[in-house]
Amino acid sequence: MDMMKKGLILMIYTVIAGFVLAGIYVMTKPSIAKADLSEKEKAMRIVLTDWKTGEKLVSDEEISKALSEGGPEKVVEMSWHGVNGKVFLPVYKFHTKLGEAYVMVGAAPGFGGDVKVMASFINGSSGIYLNAIKVLDASQETPGLGAKILQEAPQKRFWGIPPSGLKKGVVVDKDAHGRKDKGVVKTSDIMTGATITPRAVANSINIMYEYLTQKLGGEK
Amino acid sequence: MADKEQSMAWYTFKKGITTENPTYVQALGMCPTLAVTTAAINGLGMGLAVVVVLSLSNLMVSLIRKSVPKDIRIPIFIVVIATFVTMIDLLMHAYTYDLWKTLGIFIPLIVVNCIILGRAEAFASKNPPHYAFLDGLGMGTGFTLSLFLLGSVREIAGNGSWLGIHLWNFKMFMFILPPGAFITLGLLAAFFNYIKIKRAEAEKKRQQELKKQQAQAQKA
Protein backbone atom coordinates (compact mmCIF):
# COMPACT_ATOMS: atom_id res chain seq x y z
CA MET A 1 0.00 0.00 0.00
CA ASP A 2 2.83 2.32 0.98
CA MET A 3 4.63 1.53 -2.27
CA MET A 4 1.48 2.34 -4.24
CA LYS A 5 1.16 5.66 -2.46
CA LYS A 6 4.76 6.61 -3.20
CA GLY A 7 4.42 5.52 -6.80
CA LEU A 8 1.30 7.63 -7.12
CA ILE A 9 3.03 10.70 -5.64
CA LEU A 10 5.95 10.27 -8.04
CA MET A 11 3.51 9.91 -10.93
CA ILE A 12 1.67 13.09 -9.92
CA TYR A 13 4.95 15.04 -9.91
CA THR A 14 6.02 13.72 -13.31
CA VAL A 15 2.56 14.40 -14.80
CA ILE A 16 2.63 17.99 -13.50
CA ALA A 17 6.17 18.45 -14.88
CA GLY A 18 5.02 16.96 -18.21
CA PHE A 19 2.10 19.39 -18.43
CA VAL A 20 4.26 22.38 -17.53
CA LEU A 21 6.82 21.43 -20.19
CA ALA A 22 4.13 20.75 -22.77
CA GLY A 23 2.72 24.22 -22.11
CA ILE A 24 6.12 25.88 -22.44
CA TYR A 25 6.82 23.85 -25.61
CA VAL A 26 3.56 24.91 -27.25
CA MET A 27 4.19 28.50 -26.18
CA THR A 28 7.75 28.64 -27.53
CA LYS A 29 7.29 26.49 -30.68
CA PRO A 30 6.43 29.35 -33.07
CA SER A 31 9.22 31.55 -31.70
CA ILE A 32 11.75 28.69 -31.98
CA ALA A 33 10.71 28.03 -35.60
CA LYS A 34 10.99 31.75 -36.33
CA ALA A 35 14.43 32.00 -34.68
CA ASP A 36 15.70 28.94 -36.61
CA LEU A 37 14.35 30.30 -39.91
CA SER A 38 15.84 33.73 -39.31
CA GLU A 39 19.21 32.08 -38.56
CA LYS A 40 18.98 30.14 -41.83
CA GLU A 41 18.03 33.32 -43.69
CA LYS A 42 21.01 35.19 -42.21
CA ALA A 43 23.34 32.36 -43.21
CA MET A 44 21.91 32.29 -46.72
CA ARG A 45 22.48 36.03 -47.11
CA ILE A 46 26.13 35.49 -46.19
CA VAL A 47 26.73 32.62 -48.61
CA LEU A 48 24.93 34.44 -51.40
CA THR A 49 27.38 37.34 -51.32
CA ASP A 50 30.11 37.33 -53.95
CA TRP A 51 33.24 36.28 -52.07
CA LYS A 52 35.48 38.47 -54.22
CA THR A 53 33.54 41.74 -54.34
CA GLY A 54 31.22 41.46 -51.32
CA GLU A 55 28.29 42.22 -53.62
CA LYS A 56 24.87 40.63 -52.99
CA LEU A 57 24.13 37.98 -55.62
CA VAL A 58 20.47 37.55 -54.71
CA SER A 59 18.06 40.03 -53.11
CA ASP A 60 16.83 39.49 -49.54
CA GLU A 61 13.25 39.15 -50.79
CA GLU A 62 14.21 36.31 -53.11
CA ILE A 63 15.94 34.51 -50.24
CA SER A 64 12.92 34.88 -47.94
CA LYS A 65 10.63 33.67 -50.71
CA ALA A 66 12.81 30.64 -51.47
CA LEU A 67 12.96 29.69 -47.80
CA SER A 68 9.22 30.00 -47.29
CA GLU A 69 8.59 27.82 -50.35
CA GLY A 70 11.34 25.32 -49.49
CA GLY A 71 9.13 22.83 -47.66
CA PRO A 72 10.11 20.44 -44.89
CA GLU A 73 13.72 19.35 -44.41
CA LYS A 74 14.81 15.89 -45.61
CA VAL A 75 18.10 14.21 -44.75
CA VAL A 76 20.12 12.19 -47.30
CA GLU A 77 23.03 10.04 -46.11
CA MET A 78 26.09 10.45 -48.33
CA SER A 79 29.62 9.17 -48.28
CA TRP A 80 32.78 10.62 -49.77
CA HIS A 81 36.09 8.67 -49.73
CA GLY A 82 34.98 6.65 -46.69
CA VAL A 83 33.65 9.66 -44.78
CA ASN A 84 29.96 9.41 -43.95
CA GLY A 85 28.05 12.64 -44.01
CA LYS A 86 24.64 14.10 -44.64
CA VAL A 87 23.01 16.45 -47.08
CA PHE A 88 19.92 18.32 -45.88
CA LEU A 89 17.36 18.86 -48.61
CA PRO A 90 15.97 20.97 -50.20
CA VAL A 91 18.76 22.41 -52.32
CA TYR A 92 17.92 26.03 -53.16
CA LYS A 93 18.61 27.20 -56.69
CA PHE A 94 18.99 30.86 -57.63
CA HIS A 95 19.76 32.58 -60.92
CA THR A 96 22.59 35.07 -60.48
CA LYS A 97 24.67 37.10 -62.89
CA LEU A 98 27.62 34.77 -62.22
CA GLY A 99 25.62 31.67 -63.13
CA GLU A 100 23.24 29.32 -61.34
CA ALA A 101 23.82 29.29 -57.60
CA TYR A 102 23.03 26.20 -55.50
CA VAL A 103 22.70 26.73 -51.77
CA MET A 104 22.75 23.58 -49.69
CA VAL A 105 23.37 22.36 -46.17
CA GLY A 106 25.63 19.42 -45.40
CA ALA A 107 27.21 17.84 -42.36
CA ALA A 108 30.23 15.66 -41.58
CA PRO A 109 31.49 14.23 -38.28
CA GLY A 110 33.59 16.57 -36.15
CA PHE A 111 35.10 16.03 -32.73
CA GLY A 112 31.91 15.58 -30.70
CA GLY A 113 29.22 15.28 -33.35
CA ASP A 114 28.20 16.55 -36.76
CA VAL A 115 29.45 19.93 -37.97
CA LYS A 116 26.68 21.46 -40.09
CA VAL A 117 27.69 23.77 -42.93
CA MET A 118 25.74 25.86 -45.45
CA ALA A 119 27.51 26.39 -48.77
CA SER A 120 26.84 28.14 -52.05
CA PHE A 121 28.13 26.56 -55.25
CA ILE A 122 28.03 28.57 -58.45
CA ASN A 123 27.95 26.97 -61.87
CA GLY A 124 30.08 29.61 -63.59
CA SER A 125 31.67 29.76 -67.04
CA SER A 126 34.64 27.58 -66.02
CA GLY A 127 32.62 25.05 -63.99
CA ILE A 128 31.20 24.69 -60.49
CA TYR A 129 33.09 26.62 -57.82
CA LEU A 130 32.48 27.16 -54.14
CA ASN A 131 31.50 30.75 -53.43
CA ALA A 132 31.14 30.89 -49.63
CA ILE A 133 30.27 28.82 -46.58
CA LYS A 134 28.69 29.46 -43.19
CA VAL A 135 29.05 26.99 -40.32
CA LEU A 136 25.56 26.56 -38.88
CA ASP A 137 26.24 24.21 -36.00
CA ALA A 138 29.45 23.23 -34.23
CA SER A 139 27.97 23.09 -30.74
CA GLN A 140 29.52 19.69 -29.99
CA GLU A 141 33.05 20.92 -30.69
CA THR A 142 35.52 21.82 -27.92
CA PRO A 143 35.00 25.40 -26.71
CA GLY A 144 38.09 27.52 -27.37
CA LEU A 145 39.46 24.99 -29.85
CA GLY A 146 37.22 23.36 -32.46
CA ALA A 147 34.33 25.71 -31.66
CA LYS A 148 36.48 28.57 -33.03
CA ILE A 149 35.20 27.44 -36.42
CA LEU A 150 32.06 29.46 -35.63
CA GLN A 151 34.12 32.65 -35.98
CA GLU A 152 34.28 34.42 -39.29
CA ALA A 153 38.04 34.22 -39.95
CA PRO A 154 38.42 30.40 -40.09
CA GLN A 155 35.29 30.11 -42.25
CA LYS A 156 36.51 32.68 -44.76
CA ARG A 157 39.50 30.45 -45.48
CA PHE A 158 37.09 28.09 -47.26
CA TRP A 159 35.62 30.80 -49.50
CA GLY A 160 36.25 30.87 -53.23
CA ILE A 161 37.47 27.34 -53.94
CA PRO A 162 37.82 26.95 -57.75
CA PRO A 163 36.47 24.02 -59.83
CA SER A 164 39.87 22.29 -59.89
CA GLY A 165 40.04 22.33 -56.07
CA LEU A 166 36.53 20.90 -55.70
CA LYS A 167 37.26 18.15 -58.24
CA LYS A 168 40.37 17.04 -56.34
CA GLY A 169 38.58 17.28 -53.02
CA VAL A 170 38.96 20.03 -50.43
CA VAL A 171 41.48 19.27 -47.68
CA VAL A 172 42.93 21.29 -44.81
CA ASP A 173 46.68 21.94 -44.98
CA LYS A 174 47.40 19.42 -42.21
CA ASP A 175 46.06 16.67 -44.49
CA ALA A 176 47.50 18.03 -47.73
CA HIS A 177 50.66 15.81 -47.70
CA GLY A 178 52.58 17.85 -50.21
CA ARG A 179 49.54 18.90 -52.27
CA LYS A 180 49.77 22.57 -53.10
CA ASP A 181 46.75 23.12 -55.33
CA LYS A 182 43.82 25.46 -54.68
CA GLY A 183 41.71 22.83 -52.88
CA VAL A 184 44.10 23.00 -49.93
CA VAL A 185 42.82 25.34 -47.21
CA LYS A 186 45.28 26.78 -44.71
CA THR A 187 43.80 26.55 -41.22
CA SER A 188 46.82 25.54 -39.13
CA ASP A 189 47.53 29.11 -38.00
CA ILE A 190 44.03 30.07 -36.84
CA MET A 191 42.73 26.72 -35.61
CA THR A 192 45.80 25.63 -33.66
CA GLY A 193 45.15 22.55 -31.57
CA ALA A 194 42.01 21.70 -33.53
CA THR A 195 42.41 19.53 -36.60
CA ILE A 196 39.20 17.55 -36.62
CA THR A 197 36.73 20.45 -36.87
CA PRO A 198 38.14 22.17 -40.00
CA ARG A 199 38.51 18.69 -41.50
CA ALA A 200 34.78 18.17 -40.88
CA VAL A 201 34.05 21.41 -42.74
CA ALA A 202 36.20 20.30 -45.68
CA ASN A 203 34.46 16.90 -45.71
CA SER A 204 31.00 18.41 -45.63
CA ILE A 205 31.94 20.61 -48.61
CA ASN A 206 33.14 17.51 -50.50
CA ILE A 207 29.97 15.62 -49.62
CA MET A 208 27.76 18.48 -50.80
CA TYR A 209 29.76 18.78 -54.04
CA GLU A 210 29.42 15.03 -54.55
CA TYR A 211 25.65 15.27 -54.11
CA LEU A 212 25.45 18.26 -56.42
CA THR A 213 27.38 16.58 -59.23
CA GLN A 214 25.78 13.12 -58.79
CA LYS A 215 22.15 13.84 -58.08
CA LEU A 216 21.61 17.17 -59.69
CA GLY A 217 23.65 16.35 -62.77
CA GLY A 218 25.82 19.42 -62.44
CA GLU A 219 28.97 19.40 -64.53
CA LYS A 220 31.94 17.95 -62.63
CA MET B 1 15.27 39.53 15.95
CA ALA B 2 15.11 41.19 12.55
CA ASP B 3 18.87 41.77 12.72
CA LYS B 4 19.49 38.09 13.43
CA GLU B 5 17.24 37.14 10.52
CA GLN B 6 19.07 39.55 8.25
CA SER B 7 22.53 38.34 9.21
CA MET B 8 21.37 34.73 8.81
CA ALA B 9 20.12 35.54 5.30
CA TRP B 10 23.40 37.29 4.45
CA TYR B 11 25.41 34.34 5.78
CA THR B 12 23.27 31.89 3.74
CA PHE B 13 24.05 33.86 0.59
CA LYS B 14 27.71 34.58 1.36
CA LYS B 15 28.86 31.09 2.32
CA GLY B 16 28.41 29.84 -1.25
CA ILE B 17 30.88 32.44 -2.49
CA THR B 18 33.48 32.12 0.28
CA THR B 19 33.65 29.45 3.01
CA GLU B 20 31.57 26.82 1.19
CA ASN B 21 32.49 27.70 -2.38
CA PRO B 22 31.25 24.79 -4.52
CA THR B 23 34.34 24.63 -6.75
CA TYR B 24 37.37 25.39 -4.60
CA VAL B 25 36.09 24.20 -1.20
CA GLN B 26 33.47 21.52 -1.83
CA ALA B 27 34.98 20.34 -5.17
CA LEU B 28 31.47 19.87 -6.62
CA GLY B 29 30.47 20.09 -10.28
CA MET B 30 33.97 19.29 -11.50
CA CYS B 31 32.87 17.94 -14.90
CA PRO B 32 31.40 21.21 -16.28
CA THR B 33 34.06 23.18 -14.41
CA LEU B 34 36.86 21.45 -16.29
CA ALA B 35 35.08 21.12 -19.63
CA VAL B 36 33.59 24.59 -20.05
CA THR B 37 36.31 26.91 -18.81
CA THR B 38 38.43 27.11 -21.96
CA ALA B 39 37.43 30.78 -22.21
CA ALA B 40 36.21 33.32 -19.64
CA ILE B 41 32.93 33.97 -21.46
CA ASN B 42 32.04 30.26 -21.46
CA GLY B 43 32.56 30.08 -17.70
CA LEU B 44 30.40 33.15 -17.19
CA GLY B 45 27.60 31.85 -19.44
CA MET B 46 27.53 28.43 -17.82
CA GLY B 47 27.67 30.00 -14.36
CA LEU B 48 24.74 32.33 -15.02
CA ALA B 49 22.61 29.47 -16.36
CA VAL B 50 23.42 27.51 -13.18
CA VAL B 51 22.45 30.51 -10.98
CA VAL B 52 18.97 30.58 -12.53
CA VAL B 53 18.40 26.81 -12.36
CA LEU B 54 19.88 26.44 -8.87
CA SER B 55 17.87 29.31 -7.34
CA LEU B 56 14.59 28.18 -8.89
CA SER B 57 15.06 24.48 -8.18
CA ASN B 58 16.09 25.22 -4.58
CA LEU B 59 12.98 27.35 -4.14
CA MET B 60 10.72 24.70 -5.62
CA VAL B 61 12.31 21.83 -3.64
CA SER B 62 11.87 23.82 -0.44
CA LEU B 63 8.24 24.59 -1.25
CA ILE B 64 7.37 20.92 -1.85
CA ARG B 65 9.65 19.47 0.86
CA LYS B 66 6.82 18.59 3.26
CA SER B 67 4.80 16.68 0.67
CA VAL B 68 7.69 14.57 -0.61
CA PRO B 69 8.18 11.11 0.99
CA LYS B 70 11.80 10.52 2.04
CA ASP B 71 12.31 7.37 -0.08
CA ILE B 72 11.40 9.01 -3.37
CA ARG B 73 12.83 12.47 -2.76
CA ILE B 74 15.80 12.06 -5.16
CA PRO B 75 13.73 11.14 -8.27
CA ILE B 76 11.32 13.96 -7.47
CA PHE B 77 14.18 16.46 -7.10
CA ILE B 78 15.58 15.27 -10.43
CA VAL B 79 12.18 15.74 -12.07
CA VAL B 80 12.06 19.30 -10.69
CA ILE B 81 15.61 20.10 -11.83
CA ALA B 82 15.17 18.54 -15.29
CA THR B 83 11.90 20.48 -15.74
CA PHE B 84 13.60 23.80 -14.97
CA VAL B 85 16.55 23.02 -17.23
CA THR B 86 14.28 22.01 -20.14
CA MET B 87 12.15 25.11 -19.59
CA ILE B 88 15.22 27.36 -19.68
CA ASP B 89 16.58 25.55 -22.75
CA LEU B 90 13.29 26.08 -24.63
CA LEU B 91 12.89 29.71 -23.51
CA MET B 92 16.48 30.59 -24.43
CA HIS B 93 16.13 28.86 -27.82
CA ALA B 94 13.03 30.93 -28.51
CA TYR B 95 13.96 34.33 -27.11
CA THR B 96 17.77 34.60 -26.73
CA TYR B 97 18.93 32.61 -29.74
CA ASP B 98 22.56 33.82 -29.81
CA LEU B 99 23.19 33.10 -26.14
CA TRP B 100 21.47 29.72 -26.51
CA LYS B 101 23.78 28.87 -29.40
CA THR B 102 26.87 29.94 -27.49
CA LEU B 103 26.01 27.81 -24.46
CA GLY B 104 25.03 24.88 -26.70
CA ILE B 105 25.49 21.54 -25.02
CA PHE B 106 26.10 23.06 -21.58
CA ILE B 107 22.46 23.88 -20.86
CA PRO B 108 21.20 20.26 -20.93
CA LEU B 109 24.32 19.30 -18.95
CA ILE B 110 23.12 21.39 -15.99
CA VAL B 111 20.72 18.51 -15.15
CA VAL B 112 23.67 16.33 -14.18
CA ASN B 113 25.57 19.05 -12.33
CA CYS B 114 25.90 17.63 -8.84
CA ILE B 115 25.79 21.07 -7.18
CA ILE B 116 22.09 21.37 -8.08
CA LEU B 117 21.10 17.99 -6.63
CA GLY B 118 23.59 18.41 -3.78
CA ARG B 119 22.05 21.70 -2.63
CA ALA B 120 18.50 20.38 -3.09
CA GLU B 121 19.31 17.43 -0.83
CA ALA B 122 21.61 19.11 1.70
CA PHE B 123 19.93 22.49 2.11
CA ALA B 124 16.71 23.22 0.23
CA SER B 125 14.87 20.11 1.46
CA LYS B 126 15.55 21.09 5.08
CA ASN B 127 15.10 24.87 5.08
CA PRO B 128 12.35 27.45 4.41
CA PRO B 129 11.92 28.76 0.84
CA HIS B 130 13.57 32.18 1.25
CA TYR B 131 16.74 30.65 2.70
CA ALA B 132 16.73 27.93 0.04
CA PHE B 133 16.48 30.58 -2.67
CA LEU B 134 19.33 32.61 -1.12
CA ASP B 135 21.45 29.48 -0.80
CA GLY B 136 20.89 28.75 -4.50
CA LEU B 137 21.73 32.32 -5.41
CA GLY B 138 24.90 32.29 -3.28
CA MET B 139 26.11 28.89 -4.43
CA GLY B 140 25.35 29.82 -8.04
CA THR B 141 27.23 33.10 -7.70
CA GLY B 142 30.19 31.29 -6.11
CA PHE B 143 30.16 28.77 -8.95
CA THR B 144 29.95 31.56 -11.56
CA LEU B 145 32.86 33.51 -10.04
CA SER B 146 34.97 30.33 -9.78
CA LEU B 147 34.30 29.39 -13.40
CA PHE B 148 34.95 32.93 -14.58
CA LEU B 149 38.27 33.05 -12.72
CA LEU B 150 39.33 29.64 -14.00
CA GLY B 151 38.22 30.50 -17.55
CA SER B 152 40.06 33.85 -17.40
CA VAL B 153 43.35 32.27 -16.27
CA ARG B 154 43.10 29.55 -18.94
CA GLU B 155 42.15 31.97 -21.72
CA ILE B 156 44.90 34.46 -20.84
CA ALA B 157 47.59 31.78 -20.51
CA GLY B 158 46.43 29.54 -23.32
CA ASN B 159 45.12 31.95 -25.90
CA GLY B 160 46.73 35.30 -25.04
CA SER B 161 43.32 36.93 -24.83
CA TRP B 162 40.66 37.81 -22.23
CA LEU B 163 36.93 37.88 -23.02
CA GLY B 164 37.94 37.68 -26.67
CA ILE B 165 40.17 40.77 -26.47
CA HIS B 166 43.65 40.09 -27.82
CA LEU B 167 46.36 40.73 -25.20
CA TRP B 168 49.62 39.26 -26.51
CA ASN B 169 50.98 36.61 -28.85
CA PHE B 170 52.51 34.41 -26.14
CA LYS B 171 50.27 31.31 -25.91
CA MET B 172 50.64 28.12 -23.90
CA PHE B 173 48.07 25.90 -25.59
CA MET B 174 48.23 23.32 -22.85
CA PHE B 175 46.08 25.62 -20.72
CA ILE B 176 43.05 25.36 -23.01
CA LEU B 177 43.50 21.59 -23.33
CA PRO B 178 42.25 19.19 -20.61
CA PRO B 179 45.59 18.94 -18.69
CA GLY B 180 45.61 22.74 -18.39
CA ALA B 181 42.19 22.59 -16.74
CA PHE B 182 43.45 20.25 -14.01
CA ILE B 183 46.67 22.21 -13.47
CA THR B 184 44.93 25.60 -13.25
CA LEU B 185 42.21 24.25 -10.97
CA GLY B 186 44.84 22.66 -8.70
CA LEU B 187 46.90 25.86 -8.52
CA LEU B 188 43.87 28.05 -7.80
CA ALA B 189 42.55 25.62 -5.15
CA ALA B 190 46.02 25.60 -3.54
CA PHE B 191 46.08 29.39 -3.58
CA PHE B 192 42.66 29.68 -1.88
CA ASN B 193 43.64 27.02 0.66
CA TYR B 194 46.83 28.97 1.43
CA ILE B 195 44.76 32.11 2.10
CA LYS B 196 42.37 30.07 4.28
CA ILE B 197 45.24 28.62 6.35
CA LYS B 198 46.93 32.01 6.75
CA ARG B 199 43.63 33.53 7.88
CA ALA B 200 43.04 30.71 10.37
CA GLU B 201 46.56 31.18 11.75
CA ALA B 202 46.06 34.93 12.06
CA GLU B 203 42.74 34.36 13.83
CA LYS B 204 44.36 31.84 16.20
CA LYS B 205 47.11 34.32 16.99
CA ARG B 206 44.56 37.04 17.62
CA GLN B 207 42.63 34.79 20.01
CA GLN B 208 45.82 33.92 21.88
CA GLU B 209 46.75 37.61 22.17
CA LEU B 210 43.27 38.37 23.43
CA LYS B 211 43.50 35.60 26.04
CA LYS B 212 46.93 36.83 27.13
CA GLN B 213 45.63 40.37 27.52
CA GLN B 214 42.62 39.15 29.49
CA ALA B 215 44.91 37.11 31.79
CA GLN B 216 47.18 40.12 32.33
CA ALA B 217 44.19 42.34 33.04
CA GLN B 218 42.88 39.81 35.57
CA LYS B 219 46.31 39.66 37.26
CA ALA B 220 46.49 43.43 37.40
Side-chain angles (χ1 to χ4, degrees):
Chain A
M1 197 62 200
D2 191 43
M3 287 290 269
M4 285 284 283
K5 194 183 151 196
K6 282 170 188 164
L8 202 70
I9 292 172
L10 190 56
M11 194 187 81
I12 291 168
Y13 274 103
T14 43
V15 167
I16 293 171
F19 271 108
V20 169
L21 286 181
I24 300 271
Y25 176 74
V26 170
M27 192 183 94
T28 53
K29 202 182 166 190
S31 303
I32 288 176
K34 214 171 138 187
D36 286 342
L37 191 73
S38 128
E39 186 67 10
K40 212 171 172 182
E41 205 172 318
K42 263 192 238 168
M44 214 178 252
R45 277 183 207 160
I46 292 171
V47 296
L48 283 171
T49 303
D50 187 4
W51 78 279
K52 268 188 205 154
T53 59
E55 197 186 326
K56 272 185 188 177
L57 295 172
V58 175
S59 69
D60 293 351
E61 291 75 36
E62 260 185 276
I63 292 174
S64 306
K65 199 179 155 213
L67 273 171
S68 61
E69 288 169 358
E73 198 175 76
K74 205 178 135 195
V75 185
V76 177
E77 303 276 342
M78 285 285 290
S79 144
W80 181 84
H81 287 248
V83 179
N84 294 320
K86 292 174 192 133
V87 171
F88 298 85
L89 300 181
V91 175
Y92 299 90
K93 190 176 169 185
F94 298 93
H95 296 284
T96 71
K97 59 179 184 181
L98 300 173
E100 275 171 345
Y102 297 93
V103 177
M104 51 203 299
V105 177
F111 189 70
D114 277 348
V115 175
K116 211 170 170 184
V117 179
M118 182 184 274
S120 62
F121 295 91
I122 294 177
N123 198 355
S125 51
S126 53
I128 298 174
Y129 71 92
L130 175 74
N131 179 56
I133 64 147
K134 172 88 178 95
V135 177
L136 299 178
D137 187 14
S139 57
Q140 313 275 327
E141 302 307 286
T142 320
L145 284 172
K148 271 191 195 168
I149 200 77
L150 289 166
Q151 295 170 6
E152 201 181 40
Q155 294 182 34
K156 277 193 168 174
R157 298 283 173 95
F158 291 89
W159 289 18
I161 294 176
S164 59
L166 287 176
K167 273 179 200 164
K168 272 198 157 182
V170 181
V171 287
V172 290
D173 51 352
K174 290 161 200 157
D175 298 333
H177 310 300
R179 254 179 75 181
K180 276 185 180 166
D181 58 68
K182 299 232 168 111
V184 178
V185 180
K186 183 170 165 62
T187 60
S188 55
D189 54 341
I190 39 170
M191 294 287 294
T192 321
T195 320
I196 301 166
T197 314
R199 191 182 285 155
V201 174
N203 284 335
S204 60
I205 292 171
N206 292 329
I207 284 163
M208 282 187 272
Y209 179 69
E210 189 73 12
Y211 181 85
L212 193 66
T213 49
Q214 264 186 25
K215 309 273 164 144
L216 296 180
E219 191 196 331
K220 201 165 183 176
Chain B
M1 192 68 187
D3 270 3
K4 202 182 164 194
E5 181 91 352
Q6 233 174 23
S7 70
M8 184 64 192
W10 173 239
Y11 171 74
T12 309
F13 173 74
K14 198 184 74 175
K15 70 181 193 306
I17 305 171
T18 54
T19 50
E20 287 179 31
N21 186 290
T23 309
Y24 299 115
V25 180
Q26 298 186 68
L28 285 176
M30 283 296 114
C31 181
T33 302
L34 296 166
V36 178
T37 53
T38 47
I41 194 74
N42 291 338
L44 197 64
M46 174 79 186
L48 291 175
V50 167
V51 171
V52 177
V53 175
L54 188 53
S55 312
L56 293 177
S57 69
N58 260 12
L59 182 68
M60 185 52 78
V61 165
S62 176
L63 284 171
I64 61 167
R65 71 190 192 279
K66 285 175 185 159
S67 65
V68 173
K70 233 182 164 183
D71 301 351
I72 53 164
R73 67 190 191 287
I74 301 289
I76 289 180
F77 294 165
I78 292 192
V79 167
V80 169
I81 295 163
T83 306
F84 275 116
V85 171
T86 316
M87 258 167 66
I88 284 166
D89 190 35
L90 287 170
L91 289 169
M92 282 176 80
H93 190 170
Y95 305 114
T96 54
Y97 192 85
D98 288 333
L99 185 64
W100 175 80
K101 230 179 154 190
T102 312
L103 289 178
I105 188 79
F106 303 126
I107 305 171
L109 274 182
I110 297 172
V111 177
V112 289
N113 188 327
C114 56
I115 300 172
I116 318 260
L117 189 61
R119 292 325 289 175
E121 167 71 0
F123 194 91
S125 61
K126 292 167 190 153
N127 287 283
H130 61 293
Y131 284 134
F133 181 76
L134 281 172
D135 177 76
L137 210 61
M139 286 288 161
T141 310
F143 185 65
T144 308
L145 292 174
S146 307
L147 257 61
F148 183 63
L149 178 66
L150 190 58
S152 297
V153 172
R154 291 181 66 193
E155 190 184 346
I156 293 168
N159 207 28
S161 64
W162 186 61
L163 290 169
I165 305 159
H166 180 78
L167 300 176
W168 48 69
N169 286 326
F170 180 67
K171 297 172 185 179
M172 291 180 280
F173 290 115
M174 184 197 71
F175 279 93
I176 43 175
L177 295 171
F182 284 103
I183 292 168
T184 317
L185 182 70
L187 290 174
L188 286 172
F191 174 69
F192 287 119
N193 263 330
Y194 175 78
I195 293 176
K196 199 175 138 188
I197 292 165
K198 283 284 160 199
R199 274 185 151 185
E201 278 174 4
E203 180 61 23
K204 208 174 159 187
K205 228 179 194 177
R206 204 179 65 86
Q207 294 287 346
Q208 279 171 350
E209 287 285 322
L210 210 70
K211 263 187 197 167
K212 234 185 221 174
Q213 277 174 4
Q214 275 173 351
Q216 274 173 353
Q218 269 178 0
K219 263 186 197 170

